[in-house]
Amino acid sequence: MSAPRYIFALALLGSSLPLQAQSLDDDPLLGELKLPTVLSATRLKQSPAEVPGSMTVLDRQLIRASGARDIPELMRLVPGMMVGYYSGNVANVNYHGTNISEARRMQVLVDGRSVYRPGLATVDWTDIPLAIEDIERIEVFRGPNTAAYGANALMGVINIISTRPELSQGTRIKVTRGERGISDLYASQGFSFGSSQARLSLMGKQDDGFDHIEDGSDYRDGRRLNALNLLGNTDIGTTQSVSWQLGAKEGSNQQDYDYRIMAEPTDDSYLFDRAMYNLDPNTNSDTTARDYFIQLNWKNDLSPDHRLEVKTYAQHMERLSQWRACDSPVVFSPELRELHLAASVYARRINYILRNRSGVWADPAFYSNWMVNYDGMPAELLPLVADIAAQHAAARDSEPTCFTLNENLRETRYEAEVQNTVQITEALRTVFGVNLRYDQAKSETFFDGKVENTVGQLFGNLEYRVGEHWLLHAGAMAEQDQLSGFSFSPRLAAHYFLAPTHSLRAVYSEAVRSPDMYENNAYWTYHPTNFTGSPTSGDTYYASAEGPGDLEQERMRSYELGYNGHVHSLGLAIDIKAFYDEIDNMISQPLQLVKFEPDNSSFTRFTGAEAQADWTITRRDRLRLTYAYVDFYASNELDQRLTPRNSGSVAWLRNWGWDIDSSVIYYGADQLNERRFERLDGRLAKRFALGQSSALELALNWQYRLDDEGLTWDENLFDDRNHFYLSAELDF
């Protein structure tokens, strides 16, 4: 999406709005306009003009108007946030882009609980056990925030905040049906007992993902999930309260058959080739996902100027995948494993030799010359190559060897935190605390057992007002990671207030990201079971990948200049920032079984500007604009794929009266893995009052792709640019 095209979209939507904005001070129906506050920037409650950085808040009205079924789609409303899809059930959300297939550099919280997976350091966006209908708002800190939330908040923090149970009493049922297999169900019941108020929510979600891959065949990337969430608040006297939450989720994500054959069939003159041609495994490597968590948060207002909080939670995630595979018995050959351990590229050449038995690779003179002169293989290893080729040649008159593989992974986290917030004087306030976390990842395939980690944190943020115009901020996090060592992340910021709701800011931050367990401590190899077919000369699969164990933390330095302002009389809020960010020691290599070579050799630099404006034009019209320009350099080409230079959104929300609401939202980016993305979304809803305390809302949601490209990847294709789904929601 080019900048002129973005401006054209803005003008197109703007032409539908009233030509002259009405002063909100003159609108008696709107009432007093209250300034919002945010909680996720420094752990202190602040107005947007006081935040030491850039903040985006997606409120309940905007979330509902978007018609989004999933949280990643909401992130398109955040300037500089890039959303890519590996498949229909695997989304990646990156601030300013970088790697297309991994999102490892943002902290994601649900009510303060991290859903950033400890083993693989990713977020399963489609598996978060929280219904979008239960979200009150999403606060996004756009920039490094390790000073407040520790390593992994390298490029930002997304805090998803649930609606308080006292605001969602009664019964609510919502059904959504639509094209592409969409079949969603949501139900909640609010209730009270004693001094507690609670809400029980049930959620079911299902769709078929993308329609087909590039060759026109069906794409197996659908999903199905069911989740339960129980949220409650209990008052303990006049100064203390406990919020508690528990949840569970189960589901399955479709995945294509996930095994690459070493010896692909080439003709039908041998039993092996005929069997492999006719093989229909009738199995797949679909992933079964199960999540469980329990969370407690105790607050004690010791005085009007002093609050003590204790937060603790436990969570467990399971991703289970098992399937049958068939191949030449040579994949269990000790000679092939020896060749792989010498260098994985040598084993990859064996694949060429076995797949091209009638071509040039069948000539020993050719492949010997290639492997020695081009791959650098020592000549003394050539007998291994000849031996492996002979083993397979002898096996071609036999059936293939079949076996069961799995990629099961179980991740567990326990975390406890104490936080102290004190208003020391009228001009000085602080928040400080300590956090202790234990992570565990168990997988026979990925870790050859279990990997554990313990992380301790000391954090503090200080805010000092100097007269009417200056606000100074200092924050830091000291963190001791058992696997990665010690780190210190400071942040300094200064605000100059042009007026109480208008400030200029300058921010300097340093941040880190610790290598995850998989990058640094993997020992990935298959442990096959249930062998059938041809016998093997060994029971150990040839390929393995071992983490280096000595990866250093990624380090980021960030400079930001910005403006935040709120014009009360116009209902207009604006945030603008210019930034310069650089990350070194980056780990950018693909984490795969073959050619697993992570290191700290990559570097990325981002320079640019972002803007967002939210304008409540009248009591019926709201216009919201975002735009990001990012100029970047990345030493690794994989980090160049999800960073468009121009991206943004335009949203118009309208209440027409008679309980009719509409929204039109344009999203655009000029490069998502070298593919243009432009989409126009619409929502039209009508609410019918059924009684004093009950109502029915019917809504039509519509998406239209303005481009004709695959979404992120070539194979992510839909049959039709148009996409419709309907929802019916009953409250009583």
Side-chain angles (χ1 to χ4, degrees):
M1 180 194 67
S2 63
R5 193 178 181 98
Y6 175 84
I7 295 170
F8 174 77
L10 169 61
L12 184 65
L13 284 181
S15 65
S16 304
L17 301 176
L19 295 178
Q20 183 173 355
Q22 176 182 350
S23 171
L24 297 181
D25 290 336
D26 299 330
D27 190 342
L29 297 178
L30 189 63
E32 181 184 0
L33 186 64
K34 296 182 179 180
L35 291 176
T37 59
V38 296
L39 307 172
S40 305
T42 64
R43 299 172 179 258
L44 292 166
K45 183 178 288 187
Q46 298 168 303
S47 72
E50 298 170 335
V51 170
S54 301
M55 201 84 185
T56 295
V57 179
L58 307 179
D59 57 46
R60 190 176 182 85
Q61 182 194 32
L62 188 60
I63 293 171
R64 192 176 186 88
S66 72
R69 299 173 55 241
D70 295 296
I71 295 169
E73 289 301 310
L74 293 171
M75 293 299 106
R76 298 190 190 279
L77 293 162
V78 179
M81 198 69 74
M82 308 307 165
V83 180
Y85 282 86
Y86 184 78
S87 65
N89 53 46
V90 180
N92 288 310
V93 179
N94 290 269
Y95 184 58
H96 288 170
T98 68
N99 199 306
I100 187 66
S101 59
E102 306 291 347
R104 298 176 177 270
R105 299 180 176 92
M106 281 198 310
Q107 181 63 272
V108 180
L109 309 170
V110 177
D111 297 318
R113 173 179 58 87
S114 175
V115 293
Y116 193 86
R117 294 174 57 184
L120 300 184
T122 57
V123 176
D124 284 347
W125 289 100
T126 60
D127 285 325
I128 295 175
L130 178 68
I132 206 165
E133 290 81 7
D134 287 335
I135 298 175
E136 181 66 23
R137 67 184 187 278
I138 301 176
E139 297 182 356
V140 182
F141 188 90
R142 299 171 4 245
N145 204 359
T146 305
Y149 292 98
N152 303 329
L154 184 81
M155 298 187 72
V157 176
I158 298 173
N159 191 13
I160 304 164
I161 302 171
S162 299
T163 302
R164 300 196 308 272
E166 58 266 30
L167 300 179
S168 51
Q169 296 294 291
T171 305
R172 188 177 174 197
I173 300 173
K174 182 179 179 181
V175 178
T176 302
R177 295 289 186 272
E179 300 172 314
R180 301 171 184 167
I182 289 178
S183 179
D184 299 346
L185 177 64
Y186 166 82
S188 70
Q189 177 64 54
F191 54 94
S192 302
F193 56 96
S195 59
S196 301
Q197 293 180 307
R199 178 186 66 243
L200 175 64
S201 298
L202 303 175
M203 173 183 68
K205 188 177 293 185
Q206 183 171 320
D207 60 56
D208 294 337
F210 294 104
D211 291 328
H212 59 86
I213 59 178
E214 203 171 6
D215 65 4
S217 58
D218 288 341
Y219 196 169
R220 295 194 70 262
D221 65 339
R223 58 170 171 162
R224 176 199 59 80
L225 67 93
N226 298 294
L228 173 150
N229 187 284
L230 178 63
L231 173 66
N233 289 327
T234 301
D235 293 327
I236 307 173
T238 58
T239 63
Q240 300 182 55
S241 65
V242 175
S243 61
W244 41 274
Q245 188 173 180
L246 60 89
K249 176 261 174 188
E250 69 83 24
S252 62
N253 295 323
Q254 289 182 333
Q255 291 183 345
D256 281 332
Y257 184 69
D258 193 21
Y259 178 79
R260 183 177 179 182
I261 299 170
M262 169 63 78
E264 296 178 359
T266 57
D267 56 50
D268 60 0
S269 59
Y270 290 92
L271 178 59
F272 174 87
D273 296 270
R274 291 197 301 273
M276 292 298 290
Y277 271 125
N278 297 326
L279 180 68
D280 179 11
N282 198 29
T283 60
N284 53 66
S285 50
D286 289 358
T287 298
T288 298
R290 302 188 185 102
D291 293 350
Y292 314 92
F293 77 90
I294 184 169
Q295 179 175 352
L296 295 172
N297 190 3
W298 171 73
K299 298 179 182 180
N300 188 357
D301 291 318
L302 301 172
S303 74
D305 298 325
H306 188 187
R307 168 177 281 187
L308 183 66
E309 295 183 54
V310 178
K311 178 186 72 178
T312 183
Y313 66 84
Q315 65 184 23
H316 179 74
M317 302 177 180
E318 294 183 352
R319 301 295 181 266
L320 308 178
S321 177
Q322 180 170 293
W323 69 99
R324 293 285 289 174
C326 296
D327 208 334
S328 168
V330 78
V331 298
F332 299 99
S333 163
E335 289 78 13
L336 181 57
R337 182 166 179 80
E338 183 180 348
L339 202 64
H340 171 80
L341 293 176
S344 63
V345 65
Y346 306 157
R348 294 201 302 275
R349 293 301 179 216
I350 294 294
N351 183 275
Y352 283 91
I353 295 169
L354 300 185
R355 284 193 296 115
N356 292 270
R357 289 185 291 272
S358 60
V360 293
W361 282 95
D363 181 2
F366 175 82
Y367 68 68
S368 298
N369 178 69
W370 185 283
M371 298 179 77
V372 171
N373 294 321
Y374 289 90
D375 294 329
M377 187 179 76
E380 56 265 26
L381 294 180
L382 280 174
L384 288 177
V385 178
D387 194 3
I388 294 163
Q391 289 178 35
H392 178 69
R396 293 183 73 187
D397 285 325
S398 304
E399 294 181 348
T401 300
C402 296
F403 40 90
T404 299
L405 303 177
N406 79 76
E407 291 183 356
N408 296 339
L409 177 61
R410 293 172 172 86
E411 298 167 279
T412 303
R413 169 173 288 160
Y414 303 99
E415 185 170 333
E417 180 178 283
V418 179
Q419 177 177 302
N420 203 13
T421 307
V422 184
Q423 184 81 40
I424 301 173
T425 68
E426 187 175 343
L428 181 66
R429 64 174 180 160
T430 183
V431 58
F432 57 91
V434 59
N435 181 290
L436 183 64
R437 188 177 81 236
Y438 168 80
D439 291 334
Q440 179 190 100
K442 295 176 65 176
S443 174
E444 187 181 46
T445 300
F446 295 125
F447 299 108
D448 196 27
K450 178 174 65 176
V451 178
E452 300 173 289
N453 193 26
T454 302
V455 180
Q457 299 174 334
L458 291 173
F459 60 88
N461 286 274
L462 188 70
E463 211 179 64
Y464 181 56
R465 295 187 178 275
V466 184
E468 295 182 0
H469 294 288
W470 287 98
L471 176 66
L472 306 179
H473 171 88
M477 171 75 73
E479 183 169 327
Q480 179 65 43
D481 187 303
Q482 178 185 346
L483 297 178
S484 301
F486 178 79
S487 63
F488 181 76
S489 304
R491 175 172 58 203
L492 297 172
H495 290 74
Y496 179 77
F497 284 85
L498 305 170
T501 60
H502 298 262
S503 72
L504 302 174
R505 66 180 179 272
V507 186
Y508 171 74
S509 300
E510 294 181 7
V512 300
R513 182 185 79 86
S514 299
D516 63 65
M517 294 176 177
Y518 184 50
E519 290 167 319
N520 216 10
N521 304 95
Y523 188 84
W524 183 7
T525 189
Y526 290 120
H527 296 268
T529 58
N530 302 322
F531 285 89
T532 60
S534 294
T536 63
S537 56
D539 59 1
T540 301
Y541 190 72
Y542 82 94
S544 63
E546 187 170 356
D550 60 354
L551 291 174
E552 299 178 0
Q553 292 176 319
E554 297 181 344
R555 298 194 173 274
M556 181 176 185
R557 287 169 293 279
S558 174
Y559 305 83
E560 178 179 326
L561 296 175
Y563 161 78
N564 186 279
H566 191 283
V567 184
H568 176 82
S569 61
L570 296 177
L572 176 63
I574 298 175
D575 186 87
I576 301 171
K577 85 165 186 176
F579 57 87
Y580 175 87
D581 300 333
E582 58 182 30
I583 311 173
D584 57 20
N585 275 12
M586 283 184 71
I587 305 165
S588 301
Q589 293 77 13
L591 305 179
Q592 55 194 12
L593 178 57
V594 178
K595 200 177 179 181
F596 183 85
E597 300 171 347
D599 60 37
N600 290 108
S601 63
S602 298
F603 171 84
T604 299
R605 179 184 63 243
F606 300 103
T607 306
E610 295 173 1
Q612 64 182 23
D614 202 320
W615 188 11
T616 306
I617 301 174
T618 71
R619 65 186 179 90
R620 297 189 184 278
D621 293 286
R622 178 181 176 184
L623 180 66
R624 190 176 181 280
L625 316 171
T626 69
Y627 177 72
Y629 172 79
V630 182
D631 183 68
F632 65 95
Y633 166 80
S635 63
N636 191 304
E637 64 178 8
L638 296 176
D639 290 321
Q640 302 172 12
R641 293 185 172 179
L642 198 64
T643 305
R645 296 194 183 276
N646 298 281
S647 61
S649 66
V650 184
W652 173 36
L653 282 60
R654 167 77 174 172
N655 177 275
W656 298 89
W658 307 286
D659 289 324
I660 298 175
D661 295 296
S662 69
S663 61
V664 180
I665 306 177
Y666 166 84
Y667 303 105
D670 59 10
Q671 176 181 292
L672 290 174
N673 201 18
E674 302 176 356
R675 288 161 183 80
R676 182 170 58 94
F677 172 78
E678 290 188 87
R679 196 179 75 198
L680 194 64
D681 289 11
R683 183 176 185 269
L684 181 64
K686 165 65 177 174
R687 191 170 180 85
F688 301 89
L690 303 179
Q692 244 182 352
S693 59
S694 60
L696 172 67
E697 182 184 83
L698 301 179
L700 169 66
N701 299 277
W702 165 65
Q703 295 177 352
Y704 179 70
R705 285 291 296 272
L706 299 171
D707 63 84
D708 57 356
E709 303 191 37
L711 184 53
T712 312
W713 298 98
D714 281 340
E715 59 265 32
N716 293 345
L717 297 170
F718 291 119
D719 291 328
D720 194 336
R721 291 190 185 188
N722 282 293
H723 178 36
F724 296 93
Y725 51 99
L726 297 164
S727 65
E729 181 177 325
L730 179 64
D731 298 309
F732 58 94

